[in-house]
Amino acid sequence: MNSLFSWQTADIKITKIPEMELHNVDASFLFPQWNARTGQAAMAGLNNEYRGREENQVQLSTHSWLIETGKHTFLIDTAAGNDKLRPLNPVFNQLNTRWLTYLAAAGIRPEQVDFVFLSHLHVDHVGWNTRLMNGRWTPTFPNARYFFSARETEFLFR
C-alpha cells in the first residue's frame, strides 16, 4: 500500500483509502455455509490476486472510497478504525493503521468530509466514525452527515 489508487471520471475523482490487507483468510470466516464444491466454483471466477494460498482462502482488504465532486466530499464506509477494543474479533482489535495518513495523502482533512455513506454496520465498515483523541472518543468527521439503511439499524438493535 505505497500509493493511492484513484481515477477521474468527468468532474468526479474517486480514491481508494486503504487501511489493511488480510492474506490467506479462510473463506468460511466470511461465508459460514462454505463448502468445497460451491467454493471451488466461486473461486474459479476470482482473479489470482484475490485468491489465497490454499483452495479455500481469499485475500481481503479493509478500505474506504473517497469521492470528490468539486462541490462535496463523500466517504463510503470508514474501515475498521484504530484503538478500538474488540477482543472477540482479534483481527480488528486495537488496530494502529495509517488510514488517516492515507486520507491526508489524498488531500482531505476529516473536517472536509461532507457525507459518510455506510454500506452496512459491520466493524470493518464503521470504525473511523470515531477516533481516540486525548483519551476521549470523538467524531472523526465532525461536519459530515451520515447515511445508512434503516434495515441495518433494525438488525443491530432487534
Side-chain angles (χ1 to χ4, degrees):
M1 289 190 288
N2 295 331
S3 62
L4 296 176
F5 173 70
S6 62
W7 69 93
Q8 187 93 23
T9 177
D11 295 334
I12 297 172
K13 181 180 179 186
I14 302 168
T15 305
K16 181 180 180 180
I17 307 297
E19 183 178 51
M20 68 178 186
E21 295 176 350
L22 303 168
H23 300 283
N24 302 310
V25 175
D26 192 294
S28 65
F29 173 76
L30 291 173
F31 308 104
Q33 295 82 19
W34 182 269
N35 68 59
R37 192 183 57 155
T38 57
Q40 287 173 350
M43 295 295 260
L46 290 179
N47 291 337
N48 286 337
E49 66 186 288
Y50 300 112
R51 295 181 191 191
R53 258 192 323 265
E54 303 294 325
E55 196 171 273
N56 63 330
Q57 294 176 334
V58 294
Q59 314 287 30
L60 304 173
S61 70
T62 59
H63 55 269
S64 303
W65 292 103
L66 175 68
I67 302 172
E68 301 170 85
T69 68
K71 184 175 181 180
H72 296 292
T73 301
F74 300 84
L75 200 56
I76 300 175
D77 291 331
T78 62
N82 284 351
D83 304 307
K84 312 281 192 213
L85 291 174
R86 297 182 176 125
L88 298 178
N89 197 333
V91 171
F92 301 118
N93 188 39
Q94 293 189 295
L95 291 177
N96 183 17
T97 70
R98 299 183 61 216
W99 188 91
L100 275 177
T101 303
Y102 290 121
L103 184 67
I108 298 296
R109 295 183 324 277
E111 300 79 20
Q112 293 175 285
V113 174
D114 299 304
F115 302 98
V116 174
F117 292 95
L118 302 171
S119 63
H120 59 286
L121 303 179
H122 288 171
V123 298
D124 56 327
H125 291 257
V126 302
W128 279 104
N129 291 345
T130 58
R131 62 180 162 167
L132 192 59
M133 294 179 65
N134 302 317
R136 296 187 62 200
W137 289 104
T138 60
T140 304
F141 312 104
N143 301 318
R145 189 164 177 203
Y146 283 75
F147 294 88
F148 50 92
S149 78
R151 188 172 277 181
E152 282 292 311
T153 305
E154 292 165 6
F155 177 80
L156 278 177
F157 298 106
R158 61 182 162 132

